[in-house]
Amino acid sequence: MSKPNMSRLHHAIDLLGKLVAFDTTSKNSNLGLIHFVRDYLAQYGIESTLFHDETGEKANLLATIGPKGVPGIALSGHTDVVPALENSWISPAFELTERDGKLFGRGSADMKGFSACALAMIPELVKRDLAIPIHLCLSYDEEVGCIGVGSMVDHLAAMETPPRIAVIGEPTDMKVINGQKGKYSMRVTVTGTAGHSSFAPNHVNAIEYASRAINMIADKARDFEENGPFDDDFTVPHSTMLTTTIGGGTATNVTPDHCEFTFEIRHLPEHDAEAVIADIQQAIMETLDVEMKTKEPETGFAWEKIFSYPGMGDCTDAPGFELVSNIIPEISGKVSYGSEGGVFEKQGNIPSIICGPGSIKQAHKPNEFIEISQIEECLDFLEALTDQAVAA
């Protein structure tokens, strides 16, 4: 592949600076960024469709370049970023700063770099005679559980000719990733009875029962580690389950009547997370909850699903995969972190791969950066993908 022209590279960096300047931390609205992209695309005669959340303060954006009636390529990027509250930022988090061949700013790698590259390709895309369409998909609330993209994926899936493949532009150093784990996150509230700790045997200790439940969760995690299922293409070749937060109690001399903890399972794409959660829930309810209620009927466990997203399976045998493999033949394996690829695949029945500029090692850290060379590689890839869309 040839180097992208310098004007396009400068355009991509300029666009990245504009995208980073929008503080799209997940707790905030992303409409400023979405409206900027909508207006940018309109300059090239491209219409955008917005899919708002229930509050109207966030939206997905879908824009199609090229012909209708044939299955094309979806380029997918999320617009939200994690908070940038650390004091160790050397330069302003929401101001793109270049140093030593790197572009610093929250979201530069995860994952506004990919979106900026896709937008920088728009002038070229509208000039080319595309045989298949390219769909630009920008989503909200990926960082809090991939909960925003679903409405746009449903729309794509309902099209007469859905995309034949989706490229999820998460940072992979421009390597092709052909699988990711899913995630299911739960909150558990344990209600006991309070009283002076000198009479502890007369009370129901919420923290103690929570700890026993946590041990049961840990036992299940060890079972996954020892007995699988396994997929050695993943860096961690089995599903994992662990408790992630805990809180409870009021004082050192009061039997705690309240404890709350969260736990998660990160599961292989073919591993039924709902069934795992149901099994552990049933085991706890039939033992610990019954024991608590025997002593005091108003005590026990309450369960709340926080969020879930599906895993992304291997699509290397899908008809659309050659559009990517013709450019990057080597497969670099599967990842344990999540992306919207599982939503595209499982909910939308759209085969998906993950491939984008920057390193996942920079994601969610202070002084997040993307190397300019990665922007160049991504533009190179997208130009070659455009050639594939012309020749398809």
Side-chain angles (χ1 to χ4, degrees):
M1 294 184 285
S2 62
K3 285 278 187 180
N5 62 58
M6 293 305 294
S7 62
R8 189 180 297 154
L9 175 61
H10 292 154
H11 189 34
I13 293 173
D14 179 66
L15 285 165
L16 179 55
K18 290 180 167 63
L19 297 182
V20 166
F22 292 100
D23 180 356
T24 51
T25 306
S26 301
K27 66 181 178 64
N28 299 333
S29 170
N30 74 334
L31 291 185
L33 184 153
I34 290 294
H35 291 166
F36 166 77
V37 173
R38 178 194 61 190
D39 295 344
Y40 169 82
L41 295 172
Q43 297 175 24
Y44 296 94
I46 300 169
E47 294 184 359
S48 301
T49 302
L50 305 188
F51 303 86
H52 290 85
D53 71 347
E54 293 180 355
T55 70
E57 293 299 314
K58 297 182 180 182
N60 301 313
L61 179 147
L62 172 63
T64 299
I65 306 97
K68 298 180 180 179
V70 288
I73 305 165
L75 302 178
S76 173
H78 64 79
T79 62
D80 63 319
V81 298
V82 298
L85 303 177
E86 304 91 347
N87 294 325
S88 52
W89 281 86
I90 298 173
S91 53
F94 295 101
E95 179 182 313
L96 194 68
T97 304
E98 181 179 347
R99 296 194 301 273
D100 302 322
K102 301 171 183 176
L103 301 169
F104 291 81
R106 176 57 85 219
S108 56
D110 186 18
M111 56 176 292
K112 292 178 178 179
F114 178 79
S115 299
C117 289
L119 292 173
M121 288 297 301
I122 294 298
E124 177 73 9
L125 290 174
V126 297
K127 289 191 302 184
R128 301 293 296 273
D129 185 17
L130 300 179
I132 61 174
I134 291 180
H135 307 281
L136 178 63
C137 308
L138 300 182
S139 68
Y140 65 89
D141 281 356
E142 188 271 351
E143 295 289 7
V144 290
C146 300
I147 61 177
V149 73
S151 58
M152 181 165 54
V153 169
D154 286 342
H155 179 86
L156 288 167
M159 293 169 56
E160 183 179 350
T161 52
R164 65 181 70 180
I165 193 167
V167 178
I168 315 299
E170 293 280 0
T172 67
D173 292 308
M174 291 308 301
K175 295 178 171 60
V176 174
I177 301 300
N178 65 320
Q180 63 153 78
K181 289 183 178 179
K183 180 177 177 178
Y184 199 118
S185 182
M186 290 286 291
R187 178 179 293 110
V188 183
T189 301
V190 187
T191 301
T193 57
H196 197 287
S197 59
S198 63
F199 293 97
N202 298 331
H203 311 143
V204 180
N205 188 323
I207 289 180
E208 286 189 4
Y209 277 98
S211 69
R212 291 168 64 183
I214 289 168
N215 281 332
M216 293 172 71
I217 292 167
D219 287 343
K220 178 63 72 172
R222 283 188 287 272
D223 179 63
F224 296 155
E225 186 173 358
E226 294 171 4
N227 301 310
F230 298 104
D231 185 338
D232 290 332
D233 287 339
F234 283 95
T235 50
V236 179
H238 52 81
S239 299
T240 59
M241 192 158 66
L242 73 157
T243 301
T244 50
T245 67
I246 188 169
T250 57
T252 60
N253 60 351
V254 178
T255 303
D257 64 353
H258 177 85
C259 186
E260 181 179 286
F261 66 92
T262 60
F263 73 98
E264 68 170 31
I265 174 173
R266 289 184 182 263
H267 58 95
L268 301 180
E270 294 76 23
H271 199 179
D272 189 344
E274 288 195 13
V276 171
I277 296 291
D279 285 348
I280 196 73
Q281 184 174 348
Q282 181 179 0
I284 289 171
M285 296 301 286
E286 290 180 351
T287 55
L288 303 182
D289 190 81
V290 169
E291 186 178 320
M292 294 175 76
K293 284 180 167 54
T294 299
K295 199 165 190 177
E296 174 52 59
E298 299 303 315
T299 63
F301 285 75
W303 305 77
E304 177 190 358
K305 176 182 176 181
I306 303 173
F307 66 82
S308 67
Y309 55 78
M312 185 188 82
D314 186 346
C315 78
T316 53
D317 59 350
F321 180 71
E322 75 278 358
L323 294 170
V324 172
S325 61
N326 288 342
I327 306 168
I328 306 177
E330 183 179 353
I331 303 299
S332 294
K334 302 173 182 179
V335 293
S336 296
Y337 61 80
S339 83
E340 294 170 337
V343 181
F344 275 84
E345 180 200 311
K346 297 294 195 301
Q347 186 171 323
N349 199 30
I350 300 168
S352 303
I353 60 101
I354 306 172
C355 182
S359 170
I360 194 64
K361 294 179 181 179
Q362 298 305 321
H364 302 189
K365 290 184 176 181
N367 302 304
E368 177 183 349
F369 68 82
I370 187 170
E371 295 181 356
I372 293 176
S373 61
Q374 284 287 297
I375 299 290
E376 292 177 337
E377 283 194 44
C378 186
L379 291 171
D380 228 10
F381 169 74
L382 292 175
E383 185 172 18
L385 198 61
T386 300
D387 292 340
Q388 293 283 306
V390 170

